[in-house]
Amino acid sequence: MKQFLNVSRRYLSSTRVISQVNLTFFTKDTCMLCTNAKNILHGTLKSPDLANVPIKLTTVDIMDPKNQEWFDKYCYDVPVLHVDRPNQPKPVKFMHYFYEDKLKEEFTK
């Protein structure tokens, strides 16, 4: 029986389960950095390298009155991208400038 457990453990540890990556993009219309970051983000998401990665993107306009909490937090820091995964205590944050290689690296962890 012990031999069976070792084989199962080895098999399970070599199988990589990819969990969904949840992205929240904080932006506003009048921000040129946000426009650039949006283009980089959307270009990155179209990459063939991410074809098998389940990603959900939510965009939050911090200028919308219903998003006052995010305006108060990020009014001088947009664009901001939160990268969340299940069982991750805090989101990984990208702020101001986005780079495709860094985003891909984070999305495929």
Side-chain angles (χ1 to χ4, degrees):
M1 185 68 167
K2 188 173 184 176
Q3 188 176 19
F4 176 73
L5 288 174
N6 288 338
V7 171
S8 296
R9 194 172 293 140
R10 219 176 320 132
Y11 175 74
L12 291 174
S13 66
S14 67
T15 342
R16 184 169 176 228
V17 176
I18 300 175
S19 59
Q20 179 169 308
V21 178
N22 294 304
L23 306 177
T24 308
F25 179 53
F26 299 92
T27 186
K28 60 183 177 181
D29 286 337
T30 58
C31 167
M32 191 57 165
L33 284 177
C34 297
T35 301
N36 292 339
K38 178 182 173 185
N39 291 334
I40 291 167
L41 176 59
H42 284 259
T44 302
L45 293 174
K46 291 177 184 176
S47 170
D49 297 338
L50 299 175
N52 295 321
V53 178
I55 296 175
K56 178 185 173 198
L57 172 63
T58 304
T59 300
V60 176
D61 177 2
I62 66 166
M63 299 305 289
D64 187 324
K66 71 181 178 195
N67 297 322
Q68 184 67 45
E69 169 192 0
W70 298 113
F71 176 84
D72 293 345
K73 188 167 189 167
Y74 291 134
C75 65
Y76 299 112
D77 289 318
V78 288
V80 176
L81 180 68
H82 286 190
V83 182
D84 287 295
R85 289 180 192 78
N87 302 319
Q88 179 178 294
K90 296 188 326 187
V92 173
K93 295 179 186 179
F94 290 86
M95 300 176 84
H96 304 221
Y97 298 98
F98 297 0
Y99 299 95
E100 186 173 336
D101 58 333
K102 299 290 184 192
L103 293 175
K104 276 189 205 176
E105 181 182 323
E106 185 59 41
F107 298 168
T108 56
K109 284 185 178 178

